[in-house]
Amino acid sequence: MDLKTATALRRLRLVSAPEAVSFLILLVCSVLKRTTEFNAVPVMGAIHGVLFILYVIFWADAWNRSKWSFRTAALYFVLSVLPTGGFFAERKLRREAEDAVIADRARKEGVVNA
């Protein structure tokens, strides 16, 4: 894996958890808006919107650089619109990065001819 691909995947991984947290907080704020006088939806909506846009931009970049199949790319996109999906995306991306590092080390040491 080249450096630009690794960087694209790392950016996607780093924005996925905050995007998921902001989505959950936005859901809580929506409930509080309906049940109390507390209304933080405009602020949390803006924060979540920015994080979601960043996620989509980083997702598109990661898809382009890593040459994911359509199914893999669709999975990461669907995870972005689920309330806790960002946590699963982050975990899966972290595992892929760790596997790539292990494979790269094995190639450098001559253990694997891949």
Side-chain angles (χ1 to χ4, degrees):
M1 178 182 305
D2 66 336
L3 183 61
K4 289 184 179 183
T5 303
T7 302
L9 292 173
R10 186 173 189 326
R11 279 192 308 242
L12 180 61
R13 184 176 63 85
L14 290 176
V15 79
S16 63
E19 190 271 336
V21 169
S22 72
F23 194 3
L24 292 173
I25 293 172
L26 180 60
L27 290 175
V28 170
C29 289
S30 295
V31 170
L32 290 175
K33 177 184 175 183
R34 305 282 187 239
T35 59
T36 66
E37 296 294 321
F38 184 74
N39 184 12
V41 171
V43 174
M44 279 312 303
I47 292 170
H48 174 66
V50 168
L51 288 171
F52 181 74
I53 289 169
L54 284 174
Y55 185 96
V56 171
I57 290 169
F58 294 158
W59 166 79
D61 185 39
W63 184 12
N64 182 40
R65 292 187 187 279
S66 64
K67 308 297 185 218
W68 286 333
S69 67
F70 179 78
R71 180 179 176 184
T72 301
L75 171 69
Y76 283 118
F77 186 78
V78 167
L79 287 174
S80 75
V81 297
L82 297 175
T84 58
F87 299 120
F88 295 107
E90 191 276 332
R91 184 182 315 155
K92 188 166 174 50
L93 287 164
R94 185 171 14 105
R95 286 183 186 155
E96 285 182 16
E98 291 169 355
D99 291 346
V101 168
I102 291 169
D104 190 46
R105 286 182 184 161
R107 269 188 237 105
K108 286 181 181 176
E109 294 174 3
V111 176
V112 176
N113 293 328

